[in-house]
Amino acid sequence: MRWLFGFALLIAMLAFGIGVYHAAGLLRGERPVVHRPNEVSAPPLPGTLYVVQSGAIFRFQHGNFTQITKEEGWMQPAVAPSGGRLVAVRRQTNFSDLYLLTAGGRLVTQLTNNYVPGAAESNHWSFYPRFSPDGATLFYDYDPKSIYNNYEVDLAIYASPADPNARGSVEWTRPNAFTGGDVIPVPLRSGGLLYTKYSIDDSFHVRAQVWVELRPGSPGQALTAPELGCGQPAVSPNEKLIAMVCTRGSNQAAELDVATFDSATLALGSAATLVANQLIAAPAFSPDGRLIAYLAPATPGGQFQLWTVDSSGPPSVRDITTDLGLDSTSAPAWVGGG
């Protein structure tokens, strides 16, 4: 019996040692390796996509990624309707600005000047730039300072001429105070604007809604109910579908929904869920409207990867990447050609 007890003790010590070894491995960072996009290949997709990782913009064509900017705080690229130019955000520690780039990532000009010498709270932020469908106007988020509190940052959506030699801007939206503001403008061919609006309910919960406005400063109207928690809208090229991310009150997961949209009557149809129970972000339609790209981790707690799903019919989810670490605040910019 004594030898049996000793043998059991030896097995227990061995199991304990293996457990400690694996725990130490986790602490040393022995986890799935995150690759740079230009180190991997992926299933090809039609057209050209621009994505962001570690502050650099990458172009995805024919199954390969090409880095077109340095890792210098770049994020949220958008493509002009002509396909020849990009507008992107370059984020610094206490401010961010918009820049015009060539499709190859070469700097053309700086569009905003949000740095103010002195106190950090005097600086401004610009985010989520989007060209209008005709390419003449640039919509973006900007934080107009409160005259009472410089630390209050509620983003509003502005529009300026896309021509860098032109001047002037128009404030389109009036954000609800202390919500973070109105974000992710999606200009329509009619001249209207889709975006995400936040509000605070009677229980002090912040709720997201897809909102539409037909002209600057108008009251606008909600397209989704606050309890659905829908935001991050993307519109199909023919403007007949809207994709959106809805949380339904969850802080752990979301779903990718799509609904028909009538831009003439501003009517949104019943939503169909394409993907559920993932940490979904940043949907974008393909140039032909048949696919929707989005970002989500492949595993709980993992880095964000590029996925696609059919925009109609039975959902067919496809993981395009598995070992990248894409910026979830930068929606894929997807254009034809390439």
Side-chain angles (χ1 to χ4, degrees):
M1 290 295 294
R2 186 174 296 176
W3 67 268
L4 185 60
F5 175 78
F7 180 74
L9 182 60
L10 179 62
I11 294 297
M13 293 173 62
L14 180 61
F16 177 77
I18 292 173
V20 170
Y21 175 81
H22 283 290
L26 289 174
L27 291 175
R28 289 198 304 269
E30 293 178 4
R31 299 173 183 177
V33 176
V34 175
H35 289 282
R36 298 165 62 90
N38 55 346
E39 295 174 342
V40 304
S41 59
L45 293 171
T48 301
L49 283 87
Y50 295 88
V51 295
V52 174
Q53 180 168 309
S54 300
I57 301 174
F58 293 82
R59 183 177 59 220
F60 181 62
Q61 290 177 319
H62 311 299
N64 294 301
F65 291 92
T66 301
Q67 184 172 344
I68 65 170
T69 69
K70 296 180 180 179
E71 295 179 355
E72 295 178 331
W74 294 105
M75 60 189 301
Q76 298 171 357
V79 189
S82 66
R85 289 191 172 184
L86 307 175
V87 62
V89 175
R90 188 178 180 191
R91 180 169 181 167
Q92 309 288 346
T93 302
N94 294 316
F95 66 96
S96 63
D97 277 304
L98 304 182
Y99 290 81
L100 194 64
L101 310 173
T102 67
R106 181 175 59 83
L107 178 63
V108 176
T109 189
Q110 183 173 342
L111 299 175
T112 60
N113 292 278
N114 290 334
Y115 172 70
V116 178
E121 63 269 19
S122 299
N123 295 328
H124 288 272
W125 301 92
S126 293
F127 292 112
Y128 300 111
R130 294 290 188 276
F131 286 98
S132 61
D134 63 4
T137 305
L138 187 63
F139 290 82
Y140 55 95
D141 272 289
Y142 176 80
D143 66 319
K145 296 296 184 184
S146 168
I147 61 174
Y148 304 107
N149 183 2
N150 278 349
Y151 292 95
E152 181 183 345
V153 179
D154 287 313
L155 296 170
I157 296 174
Y158 282 70
S160 298
D163 182 353
N165 296 314
R167 293 292 181 266
S169 62
V170 176
E171 185 175 356
W172 262 75
T173 70
R174 302 289 191 271
N176 293 316
F178 303 106
T179 62
D182 303 328
V183 296
I184 311 179
V186 181
L188 301 172
R189 285 196 294 267
S190 64
L193 183 71
L194 294 175
Y195 63 97
T196 302
K197 179 176 280 292
Y198 290 95
S199 60
I200 301 176
D201 64 18
D202 294 337
S203 300
F204 303 102
H205 296 132
V206 178
R207 304 294 188 185
Q209 292 176 273
V210 177
W211 208 267
V212 62
E213 290 193 21
L214 296 181
R215 61 185 182 277
S218 66
Q221 68 181 66
L223 296 181
T224 60
E227 61 269 17
L228 298 180
C230 296
Q232 304 181 52
V235 66
S236 61
N238 63 8
E239 296 192 351
K240 293 184 177 181
L241 294 175
I242 290 179
M244 51 197 165
V245 177
C246 301
T247 63
R248 299 183 182 272
S250 172
N251 293 323
Q252 302 298 321
E255 60 189 40
L256 177 60
D257 290 351
V258 66
T260 57
F261 177 60
D262 187 328
S263 58
T265 63
L266 304 181
L268 190 69
S270 298
T273 299
L274 302 180
V275 185
N277 298 318
Q278 278 191 289
L279 197 61
I280 296 169
F285 279 90
S286 62
D288 62 8
R290 296 181 179 180
L291 295 174
I292 300 173
Y294 65 96
L295 306 178
T299 57
Q303 300 285 337
F304 279 80
Q305 307 301 324
L306 178 63
W307 304 71
T308 63
V309 63
D310 294 340
S311 62
S312 60
S316 179
V317 176
R318 187 184 185 195
D319 55 337
I320 305 302
T321 68
T322 58
D323 52 3
L324 303 184
L326 299 175
D327 177 5
S328 63
T329 69
S330 298
W334 202 344
V335 293

